[in-house]
Amino acid sequence: MLSDRLCQEADFMGHNKKGFTLIELLIAITILAIIVALSADTFRVVLKQAGQEAGIVSTQIDNLIGLNMLSDDIEHAGYGLPESFKSAISYSEATTSPASTYNSAPSNVPKAFSIGNNTGYNGSDYLVIRSTMVGTNNACTKWTYITNEQKPVPKSWGATNKDLNNGNRVIVIKPAKDIYSKNELIVDSDGNFFTSFSSTAFPADFSPQNPSERYIIYGVDANTDLRMPFNRADYYINRPTSGMPSRCAPNTGILYKTTINQSGGGSNYLQVFDCVADMQVIFGLDNNEDGVLDTYSDDITSLSAVNIKKRVKEVRVYILTHEGNKDNDYTYPSGTITIGEFDKGHDFNLTSTIGSGWQNYKWKQRILVLKPKDL
């Protein structure tokens, strides 16, 4: 009896065991597939956004370095420039186009700024900055002075990062005594407008002759004889025939800084920005020379070197570029951007200039507002 009952219970329990039906399995697999698909799509979006952010951050770092370089050069425009020559000189500047278009040579007093208004790539501006400091060598950021009492030994600062080295090519300026005189470039008896620096026996022709006089000695080049009594940097946009970064929008270029070689007048090229569509430069002027900025102009070619020094109070630079890579899921809201202010500069047409896909880039206008310190 007992054994029969146990068998019956076992048989009953066995018949009540239930598994998943085929339909239930299909439903579960379908739900799992949907979850996996949604997760994968989300993951792709996250990866894409991370890539875009990484590209933007990388671009911003590069741009920051370039902005600092451009800002520093503009702020020191005119540093060490003469306003007159002790005697007539002849000097040379750039030998290749387009740089040679903006020469002050062979005998004109050098201008702190020269501008090619809308003469560059995509109608951008071409900016020339003259200053002893815009070079890329060790000597160009150093200076000292010499007095009649201390000649032939110039002032030593006692620090290797400040003192000129023997053999550095230098110019010598006799500073203006008052508002009626000018900074004068010293020229020796042979007509040379530069000399080699010596910490112990500075040349007599480049030393003050009168008591209480002090001449300023500016480093220009480390060891190359000078073709011009200053250094020069040109900023402009160009699109190279090869080597353009693939992430850049069509018909954008590279903003270059080129320094003119003292040895032969050629150019040394340094990439400042990638993916640049336009650059416009506007000058804030004090035309009546009362110390107050009263107007803005995008063309100062008619101003003399002296007038540039007296009247340029502010320099504004507008750079149109884009952040990150092309993003087909992004749409820029407008086909035209005004580059500049104060009714200066121009309207940049993205549709016609950049062409197909212009709207898939995050366009940004960067604005520098700078006050030259050495004018």
Side-chain angles (χ1 to χ4, degrees), residues 199-240:
S199 60
T200 58
F202 201 66
D205 280 354
F206 290 91
S207 301
Q209 305 302 313
N210 301 317
S212 75
E213 273 192 331
R214 181 173 71 167
Y215 287 0
I216 309 298
I217 302 170
Y218 292 100
V220 179
D221 196 274
N223 50 30
T224 302
D225 287 351
L226 305 186
R227 65 187 290 110
M228 49 193 173
F230 48 83
N231 283 310
R232 172 178 154 180
D234 295 13
Y235 284 89
Y236 63 95
I237 301 170
N238 190 31
R239 186 175 179 89

Side-chain angles (χ1 to χ4, degrees), residues 138 142 156-165 168:
N138 246 347
K142 299 177 181 179
S156 173
W157 305 110
T160 55
N161 64 328
K162 293 183 178 181
D163 284 331
L164 288 156
N165 297 326
N168 286 167

